[in-house]
Amino acid sequence: MAVPQAPDILGLSGSSLLVTGGGTGIGRAVALAAARAGAEVTISGRRREVLNETARAAAESGLVLDVATADVCDSASVARVVTSVLDRRGRLDGVVNAAGIARFGPSEDLTDEEFSHVLDVNLVGAFRVSRAAGRAMLAAGHGSIVHIGSLTSLGGFAGRTAYTVSKHGVVGLTRTLAAEWGASGVRVNAVAPGFVRTPMTDLAIHRGVLDLDAIERRTPLGRRAEPVEMVGPVLFLLSDAASYVNGACLVADGGWTASVGPPSGFAAARGPAA
Ligand code: NAD
């Protein structure tokens, strides 16, 4: 298995990290790269078999990933995971909140339950994890937390109301915790990925609720990101290389939000406008 490489400059060796949603997608790539960089990494998620499979894949490359199951909707299980990291590793230096779900559909059909559930996982879940980790970090006087936002942290996205609201909230959470905890040595930042080739988007494309061609045409880089392309942005913010970065939202979207022009191929003809 190809394990992504984290830049040496980050100095993550020996740090103790927790990655939620660490069994798949972006969380998995970040966890493997951090382990390769010498960090002691715990991956967390709901499904033990998925976490174990990722830990097995890491072991094949000579890397150790600790596994701890937790549902980010359950404060008690989140608290248990943080305690288990502290018991096993003696400290917690960094957290990546990559657990998340996506739901698609017209807003007029969205039920209260669906709306609440997406917020419960993506926003309140990130808060639960950051609160539990933050308590330990505040007591230690240092720590770094990275939330995973989205393109939808930055603007509206038709057919993704609950997801968009949750990801806007993640940026609000990031900024608020950064403002509150910065003076105590705890930094909180976010990464806003564009479309990444993970189980989340693969499933949506498979179900016909995301149009891959349209995404590729709308993205200036002309493609989805690979999960490994989120490793640099996430681990940079997590590390001391970003020691004066606090409350930031680092956009890693292939240029999507930079571009207000038409998607490629939309208006290729040359000539005077009128
Ligand atoms: P993914 O589905 O591979 O990862 C999400 C992980 O969260 C899974 O491992 C899942 O089991 C876990 N999870 C879901 N509900 C949970 C819960 N209640 N408790 C604990 N774990 C739970 O998809 P991904 O693309 O790697 O997503 C990671 C993060 O990146 C998510 O927050 C997602 O919203 C965000 N994101 C993804 C994209 C993309 O295009 N893939 C773009 C922007 C942001």
Side-chain angles (χ1 to χ4, degrees), residues 11-242:
L12 291 167
S13 186
S15 58
S16 166
L17 309 179
L18 170 64
V19 182
T20 74
T24 63
I26 294 170
R28 173 183 162 118
V30 167
L32 289 168
R36 166 58 54 87
E40 296 167 352
V41 183
T42 301
I43 53 172
S44 171
R46 287 161 309 168
R47 298 168 296 171
R48 177 163 288 279
E49 67 286 1
V50 172
L51 298 169
N52 283 344
E53 197 286 315
T54 295
R56 248 193 319 273
E60 282 168 15
S61 298
L63 303 173
V64 176
L65 293 179
D66 294 338
V67 165
T69 52
D71 183 337
V72 297
C73 297
D74 173 8
S75 295
S77 78
V78 167
R80 270 197 303 276
V81 165
V82 169
T83 302
S84 80
V85 174
L86 292 170
D87 286 348
R88 193 191 303 235
R89 299 296 179 183
R91 49 176 217 293
L92 178 58
D93 304 299
V95 168
V96 180
N97 270 307
I101 56 170
R103 292 290 180 269
F104 304 84
S107 298
E108 62 273 24
D109 295 340
L110 193 61
T111 66
D112 291 3
E113 290 72 24
E114 288 164 339
F115 191 92
S116 299
H117 182 56
V118 173
L119 261 70
D120 198 31
V121 177
N122 292 358
L123 176 56
V124 188
F127 169 67
R128 291 185 186 101
V129 175
S130 291
R131 179 179 58 192
R135 286 174 180 149
M137 290 173 172
L138 291 169
H142 90 109
S144 177
I145 296 171
V146 177
H147 294 132
I148 307 296
S150 158
L151 274 182
T152 64
S153 294
L154 308 168
F157 208 110
R160 305 183 79 177
T161 305
Y163 186 79
T164 300
V165 171
S166 74
K167 293 298 186 179
H168 269 66
V170 163
V171 170
L173 175 67
T174 300
R175 291 178 175 146
T176 303
L177 295 180
E180 193 172 324
W181 291 350
S184 304
V186 180
R187 295 183 299 106
V188 186
N189 291 289
V191 171
F195 286 91
V196 185
R197 195 179 59 79
T198 68
M200 182 181 280
T201 50
D202 282 346
L203 186 65
I205 290 164
H206 178 72
R207 288 184 176 157
V209 291
L210 272 185
D211 178 344
L212 182 58
D213 288 343
I215 289 168
E216 290 178 345
R217 270 186 282 115
R218 174 66 179 80
T219 307
L221 287 184
R223 59 179 176 81
R224 279 189 291 169
E226 294 298 320
V228 65
E229 293 181 281
M230 297 302 123
V231 165
V234 171
L235 291 187
F236 162 67
L237 289 173
L238 204 62
S239 75
D240 286 347

